[in-house]
Amino acid sequence: MHRYFIELAYDGTNYHGWQIQPNGNSVQETLMKALATFLRQPVEVVGAGRTDAGVHARKMVAHFDFPEKLDGATVTDKLNRLLPPDVAVYGVREVQPDAHARFDARSRTYQYYVTTRKDPFGRQYAWRLFHSLDFGRMNEAAATLFDYTDFTSFSKLHTDVKTNNCRILQAHWDPQGEGEWVFTIQADRFLRNMVRAVVGTLVEVGRGKLSVEGFRRVIEAKNRCSAGTSVPGHGLFLVDVEYAADIEKYD
């Protein structure tokens, strides 16, 4: 049995997230249908993580198994012909048979876009704010994330994970252009809804409703009710998933 990694991107606007849903369109199901059409048999696909409804991905990684050796360039081309315009495959490559798209990921990076400007073209890809924010303060608060590992306060309630511990590797706000800012956060793993809850709480800091010390207390409370509300999914992008170099299959 051969295992392959697929690198893909998608606009999440028309999807109920990555994971297959009983009553909604998902990216995972869309990809599996395209693979099954091309390979003429059902194919199970495992993603590096779950993105929620409306969330986009500039780089998602998934794996599938197939009994025969496949040419990555051919699979990439065929899938792109079969997939809708809002899903694109950038590459397919064979990996070690025990390589796992989710469990072997060393880090994931997300970016969240906010804008204070009305933009008819970018409205699906940034959350519009109607008040000014102190991004300096928000960066001060974001820096405190490095001091903690338990992020229960930013996790969706009643999830089935064994631990709420994550190691934060990057967390900062940067200007992107007139009236637009982007929050970049990288960690070894993320909890359900975590990025949107972190951004929502940082916005409270930026509005002056929460101090930097108050942000620390939110983390230390380990209680989702103490954090801010989750921001909308359409401003969020999964932008990178990193693996060890030796995951590749070499003949």
Side-chain angles (χ1 to χ4, degrees):
M1 189 65 76
H2 300 267
R3 177 157 290 185
Y4 298 90
F5 268 23
I6 303 176
E7 187 179 313
L8 67 148
Y10 51 85
D11 178 331
T13 305
N14 296 321
Y15 297 94
H16 286 70
W18 163 263
Q19 196 168 21
I20 288 179
Q21 306 287 329
N23 54 2
N25 215 10
S26 74
V27 181
Q28 185 183 27
E29 185 179 21
T30 302
L31 182 59
M32 283 169 57
K33 281 181 177 173
L35 267 171
T37 300
F38 169 53
L39 298 173
R40 295 189 171 85
Q41 67 180 62
V43 179
E44 195 69 34
V45 169
V46 177
R50 305 172 183 172
T51 54
D52 291 334
V55 176
H56 316 291
R58 287 206 175 94
K59 180 181 176 182
M60 167 64 98
V61 178
H63 77 247
F64 72 95
D65 295 327
F66 195 67
E68 298 167 26
K69 192 164 182 65
L70 298 168
D71 176 64
T74 302
V75 179
T76 300
D77 178 60
K78 296 288 188 188
L79 286 178
N80 279 326
R81 291 168 188 261
L82 290 164
L83 286 163
D86 53 9
V87 182
V89 171
Y90 290 148
V92 175
R93 67 187 193 274
E94 188 170 4
V95 292
Q96 299 293 343
D98 60 347
H100 197 285
R102 181 179 167 198
F103 298 134
D104 287 339
R106 289 188 163 183
S107 73
R108 298 156 176 85
T109 306
Y110 283 90
Q111 289 184 324
Y112 193 89
Y113 290 83
V114 299
T115 181
T116 56
R117 202 165 58 105
K118 186 176 182 181
D119 179 0
F121 306 109
R123 69 190 189 281
Q124 290 178 302
Y125 310 109
W127 179 38
R128 190 179 173 204
L129 299 167
F130 293 90
H131 39 258
S132 59
L133 298 176
D134 185 337
F135 286 96
R137 269 289 176 78
M138 289 159 72
N139 267 329
E140 275 184 63
T144 69
L145 292 166
F146 295 102
D147 298 337
Y148 300 92
T149 52
D150 187 330
F151 293 104
T152 302
S153 291
F154 301 124
S155 172
K156 191 171 186 177
L157 296 173
H158 313 304
T159 56
D160 55 356
V161 296
K162 292 177 179 148
T163 173
N164 286 337
N165 285 6
C166 310
R167 187 166 57 95
I168 303 296
L169 304 168
Q170 277 192 77
H172 50 85
W173 288 91
D174 299 290
Q176 278 292 105
E178 190 185 340
E180 190 172 280
W181 287 72
V182 60
F183 178 61
T184 302
I185 184 165
Q186 180 187 26
D188 59 345
R189 63 190 288 267
F190 286 95
L191 308 173
R192 289 288 305 279
N193 212 42
M194 178 173 162
V195 180
R196 290 161 61 194
V198 167
V199 173
T201 313
L202 287 172
V203 166
E204 297 285 285
V205 175
R207 293 180 71 183
K209 293 189 166 188
L210 189 67
S211 66
V212 174
E213 275 310 305
F215 185 79
R216 277 190 184 276
R217 288 195 293 273
V218 166
I219 302 172
E220 290 167 2
K222 298 176 186 176
N223 182 341
R224 178 64 187 93
C225 297
S226 65
T229 56
S230 290
V231 291
H234 69 271
L236 183 60
F237 289 76
L238 173 63
V239 297
D240 199 15
V241 187
E242 290 185 353
Y243 298 89
D246 60 5
I247 210 164
E248 298 281 355
K249 170 87 171 178
Y250 298 105
D251 292 325

